[in-house]
Amino acid sequence: MAAGGVWVFRKDGVMELEREASSRKALVYVPANETMRSLRALERRLASLGWERYYEDRAVVQLHRRDGSLDLISLPRDFARFRSVHMYDVIVKNRGHFKVVDL
């Protein structure tokens, strides 16, 4: 099964899907067919959709919509830690603009 994995609860109470090491995914910005390869590139695309930085610390960058909605996206500052749970968060809050593909 291509989308297989196991849901686990981390110590901080957050549920996360653990995938097999061979299952590599990438986030693609659909209108330009651009693979997001860095936090900077992703933030640039999200900014064009009305997102701006709300909070940041050494590990996390949070973005919120300028229109005042309650939506919030949390991303790891280190893009190497960007996982499918982050990808799907971006997709759900920006329907039709992003997709996840297998590498």
Side-chain angles (χ1 to χ4, degrees), residues 45-58:
R45 292 302 185 181
L46 289 171
S48 72
L49 298 172
W51 293 89
E52 64 185 7
R53 279 194 181 201
Y54 174 71
Y55 174 80
E56 61 183 292
D57 65 19
R58 293 171 51 195

Side-chain angles (χ1 to χ4, degrees), residues 53-71:
R53 279 194 181 201
Y54 174 71
Y55 174 80
E56 61 183 292
D57 65 19
R58 293 171 51 195
V60 176
V61 173
Q62 289 185 330
L63 304 164
H64 73 106
R65 285 199 184 271
R66 282 182 227 125
D67 65 9
S69 75
L70 298 177
D71 287 336

Side-chain angles (χ1 to χ4, degrees), residues 6-32:
V6 177
W7 287 99
V8 296
F9 283 96
R10 298 188 322 215
K11 290 183 180 181
D12 60 3
V14 176
M15 190 168 64
E16 184 173 47
L17 181 62
E18 286 189 357
R19 297 187 180 274
E20 294 179 21
S22 63
S23 177
R24 295 196 47 217
K25 306 282 184 192
L27 183 67
V28 175
Y29 180 66
V30 174

Side-chain angles (χ1 to χ4, degrees), residues 2 6-7 34 38 42 46-49 51-52 65 73-75 80 83-85 87 90 92 94-98:
V6 177
W7 287 99
E34 177 187 2
S38 68
L42 178 55
L46 289 171
S48 72
L49 298 172
W51 293 89
E52 64 185 7
R65 285 199 184 271
I73 296 175
S74 295
L75 303 171
R83 302 284 183 256
S84 61
V85 68
M87 295 178 198
V90 170
V92 166
N94 297 280
R95 295 199 186 275
H97 292 92
F98 291 93

Side-chain angles (χ1 to χ4, degrees), residues 14 57 86 91 93 96:
V14 176
D57 65 19
H86 303 109
I91 290 170
K93 294 172 182 165

